[in-house]
């Protein structure tokens, strides 16, 4: 079966690339013919170029050429439909990732700020309707089966969406032949928008299956240590360079001294759009491929920092971690916030690791002591983590089997 994949393939983001690569490799090993649909809206491309170092942007392009097959460039839903028919694509999987976003006006109001009040702008991939919602189906001569897989709404304040838009979103949701989401917040959004008619399963991010699907792409421990000139034992630290970072340099210095006492080197791990906040004994520089990024986590002695995919990569590879979680909905410029929409919170609560996470979405977030975080790494429950990742791998395989069976059933009846 020739299956089109529609996701954030052109995003300069390590996790986005790995989850798409995981799906692509799964389909290849299952004897299907995957192809990435090269939908890249102009405003999204401009935003990536604006916020990504040139060398990292070039690196991402090389990765795409190396690891998967893409269609010709599509800017619009009409062009996606043309490519689907030209390539004879029989079915499409949308996701995983934050492909179910819509951020209403009330959510985008920033107050107070330099201009007293402002409206945050979002690119078209984050605003309904767009091609992640399947609008290209309207331009096909014949419909094809379509799955929305492990989707996330990325903290969308869905109850603030105007009624007219909610009705249009409901119509689009009901057209998916298969639907699953990545977190409980997105599950509640889909249920709310469809008046409980669609209550999707919560399914794993495909990175949970990366070792199963794409382990042959990951360099060895020896190759990784040699390439980046790293010692045998190192802990990765990675914090966003935001207005108020999750920790201070003093915090990092204290943590580094604790690690040094155990002969462990602290290494700063960058984000795809720039360096991590703070200084340590060593740092990794850009450009960096997503596969090397994964390998650096895989062979580390621990990870401490922001974002979700480093936590998934850590759990998957038996690496102790501690998350400073920046996901959630914030109000009045981060003075008041709600972390119930956090996808990290959902994963770690499900895994029984809630105490390995500190919410960091307000100015008043309490920063755990460096000694407490370091002790968490030393006493990490590997058996519990391994049991959870095996459970999620089993869920992932059931999800992929369900998607392919759905496609096969629909195609065979035509």
């Amino acid at each position: 079966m020739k299956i089109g994949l529609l996701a954030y393939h052109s995003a300069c983001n390590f996790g986005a690339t790995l989850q798409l690569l995981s799906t692509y490799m799964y389909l290849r090993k299952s004897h299907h013919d995957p192809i990435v649909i090269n939908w890249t809206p102009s405003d999204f491309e401009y935003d990536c170029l604006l916020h990504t170092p040139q060398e990292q942007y070039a690196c991402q392009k090389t990765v795409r050429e190396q690891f998967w097959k893409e269609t010709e460039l599509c800017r619009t839903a009409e062009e996606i439909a043309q490519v689907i028919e030209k390539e004879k694509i029989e079915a499409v999987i949308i996701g995983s990732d934050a492909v179910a976003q819509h951020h209403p006006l009330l959510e985008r109001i920033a107050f107070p700020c330099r201009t007293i009040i402002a409206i945050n702008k979002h690119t078209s991939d984050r605003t309904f309707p767009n091609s992640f919602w399947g609008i290209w189906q309207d331009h096909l001569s014949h419909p094809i089966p379509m799955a929305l897989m492990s989707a996330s709404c990325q903290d969308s304040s869905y109850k603030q969406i105007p009624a007219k838009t909610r009705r249009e979103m409901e119509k689009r949701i009901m057209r998916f032949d298969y639907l699953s989401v990545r977190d409980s917040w997105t599950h509640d959004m889909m249920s709310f928008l469809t008046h409980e008619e669609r209550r999707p399963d919560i399914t794993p991010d495909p990175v949970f299956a990366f070792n199963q699907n794409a382990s042959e792409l990951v360099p060895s421990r020896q190759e990784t240590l040699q390439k980046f000139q790293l010692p045998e034992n190192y802990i990765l630290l990675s914090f966003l360079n935001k207005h108020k970072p999750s920790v201070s340099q003093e915090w990092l210095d204290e943590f580094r001294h604790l690690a040094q006492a155990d002969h462990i080197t602290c290494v700063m791990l960058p984000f795809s759009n720039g360096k991590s906040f703070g200084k340590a004994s060593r740092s990794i520089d850009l450009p960096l491929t997503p596969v090397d990024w994964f390998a650096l986590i895989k062979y580390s002695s621990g990870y401490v920092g922001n974002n979700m995919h480093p936590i998934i990569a850590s759990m998957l590879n038996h690496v102790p971690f501690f998350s400073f979680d920046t996901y959630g909905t914030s109000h009045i410029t981060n003075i008041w916030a709600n972390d119930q929409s956090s996808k990290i919170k959902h994963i770690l609560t499900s895994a029984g690791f809630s105490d390995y996470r500190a919410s960091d979405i307000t100015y008043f977030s309490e920063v755990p002591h460096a000694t407490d975080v370091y002790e968490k790494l030393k006493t990490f429950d590997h058996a519990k983590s391994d049991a959870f990742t095996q459970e999620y791998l089993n869920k992932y395989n059931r999800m992929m089997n369900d998607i392919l069976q759905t496609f096969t059933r629909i195609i065979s009846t035509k």
Side-chain angles (χ1 to χ4, degrees):
M1 192 186 320
K2 191 165 189 179
I3 301 175
L5 302 179
L6 190 56
Y8 278 104
H9 74 288
S10 60
C12 286
N13 180 286
F14 300 127
T17 302
L18 291 175
Q19 59 190 341
L20 178 57
L21 183 56
S22 181
T23 304
Y24 187 90
M25 294 298 291
Y26 178 94
L27 293 173
R28 278 190 57 184
K29 290 180 176 181
S30 300
H31 309 292
H32 294 283
D33 182 17
I35 184 169
V36 175
I37 298 173
N38 186 11
W39 175 56
T40 308
S42 297
D43 61 341
F44 175 79
E45 182 176 54
Y46 175 78
D47 190 67
C48 286
L49 285 165
L50 188 65
H51 295 102
T52 308
Q54 186 175 356
E55 65 272 18
Q56 184 63 28
Y57 194 86
C59 177
Q60 177 68 20
K61 279 194 155 184
T62 302
V63 166
R64 289 162 56 185
E65 293 168 359
Q66 178 182 0
F67 287 128
W68 59 57
K69 179 173 64 174
E70 289 185 12
T71 70
E72 62 191 68
L73 177 65
C74 306
R75 297 291 192 191
T76 65
E78 292 88 345
E79 290 175 349
I80 290 177
Q82 291 167 11
V83 157
I84 287 173
E85 294 185 337
K86 178 182 177 180
E87 294 283 350
K88 296 182 172 55
I89 293 172
E90 300 169 82
V92 172
I93 297 175
I94 302 172
S96 176
D97 214 342
V99 293
Q101 297 186 67
H102 182 68
H103 302 276
L105 177 63
L106 287 174
E107 181 186 343
R108 292 184 287 114
I109 294 175
F111 172 82
C113 59
R114 284 189 304 172
T115 57
I116 303 177
I117 191 169
I119 306 296
N120 293 321
K121 294 182 179 180
H122 287 159
T123 49
S124 56
D125 59 288
R126 302 179 65 192
T127 306
F128 177 87
N130 63 54
S131 290
F132 286 144
W133 292 86
I135 63 173
W136 41 268
Q137 281 274 22
D138 298 348
H139 306 284
L140 292 176
S141 55
H142 301 285
I144 61 174
M146 177 175 62
L148 186 66
M149 177 188 75
S150 294
S152 169
C153 67
Q154 196 80 346
D155 302 323
S156 298
S157 297
Y158 58 87
K159 290 187 178 180
Q160 297 175 357
I161 297 173
K164 181 180 179 182
T165 305
R166 293 204 304 268
R167 288 193 293 271
E168 291 301 315
M169 295 174 82
E170 179 183 12
K171 291 177 184 176
R172 292 295 169 183
I173 294 167
M174 298 304 295
R175 291 186 66 176
F176 287 111
D177 299 292
Y178 174 92
L179 172 64
S180 72
V181 296
R182 195 167 64 181
D183 55 80
S184 54
W185 187 265
T186 308
H187 168 274
D188 292 347
M189 182 185 88
M190 295 294 180
S191 301
F192 175 77
L193 293 175
T194 63
H195 306 282
E196 305 294 324
E197 285 194 52
R198 299 295 294 265
R199 294 181 59 82
D201 289 338
I202 299 175
T203 52
D205 183 292
V207 175
F208 274 105
F210 196 80
N211 284 338
Q212 169 191 275
N213 297 340
S215 61
E216 66 272 25
L217 304 179
V218 182
S220 69
R221 178 184 181 87
Q222 183 178 359
E223 289 171 324
T224 301
L225 297 183
Q226 184 174 355
K227 180 175 182 177
F228 295 99
Q229 294 297 292
L230 293 172
E232 284 291 324
N233 297 309
Y234 63 92
I235 291 175
L236 295 170
L237 304 172
S238 191
F239 294 96
L240 295 164
N241 259 308
K242 54 182 184 173
H243 178 66
K244 183 180 178 293
S246 298
V247 298
S248 64
Q249 183 59 52
E250 290 75 17
W251 192 99
L252 291 171
D253 290 340
E254 183 179 355
F255 188 92
R256 178 168 53 86
H257 290 143
L258 292 166
Q260 283 179 338
D262 287 333
H263 309 289
I264 301 174
T265 301
C266 286
V267 179
M268 304 308 298
L269 182 68
F271 298 88
S272 57
N273 62 354
K275 292 182 177 182
S276 166
F277 164 78
K279 297 179 181 180
S281 305
R282 299 283 304 279
S283 64
I284 305 296
D285 296 323
L286 297 176
L288 180 65
T289 71
V291 173
D292 278 339
W293 177 88
F294 181 84
L296 285 164
I297 297 173
K298 179 183 178 75
Y299 304 125
S300 71
S301 301
Y303 173 86
V304 179
N306 302 138
N307 285 8
M308 178 189 71
H309 281 110
I311 302 303
I312 295 177
S314 296
M315 298 184 80
L316 183 59
N317 292 298
H318 324 291
V319 174
F321 62 83
F322 192 91
S323 171
F324 285 79
D325 185 0
T326 61
Y327 295 111
T329 54
S330 60
H331 308 271
I332 318 179
T333 316
N334 295 332
I335 293 174
W336 179 81
N338 183 348
D339 68 354
Q340 293 305 307
S341 63
S342 166
K343 48 199 176 184
I344 294 177
K345 182 174 183 176
H346 170 80
I347 291 171
L348 296 189
T349 300
S350 301
F353 281 90
S354 295
D355 54 339
Y356 281 74
R357 167 187 170 272
S359 181
D360 179 33
I361 52 175
T362 74
Y363 285 127
F364 308 107
S365 297
E366 185 175 347
V367 180
H369 293 296
T371 51
D372 293 336
V373 172
Y374 189 73
E375 186 62 23
K376 285 288 186 185
L377 300 189
K378 293 183 69 173
T379 59
F380 187 78
D381 190 336
H382 290 275
K384 184 165 69 172
S385 178
D386 291 350
F388 176 75
T389 53
Q390 183 59 53
E391 176 191 345
Y392 255 40
L393 176 60
N394 293 339
K395 284 185 176 181
Y396 169 84
N397 287 326
R398 287 197 296 271
M399 171 188 74
M400 295 305 296
N401 185 62
D402 289 346
I403 290 172
L404 294 175
Q405 284 191 352
T406 299
F407 287 170
T408 300
R409 184 179 67 252
I410 294 171
I411 292 171
S412 66
T413 58
K414 290 185 177 181

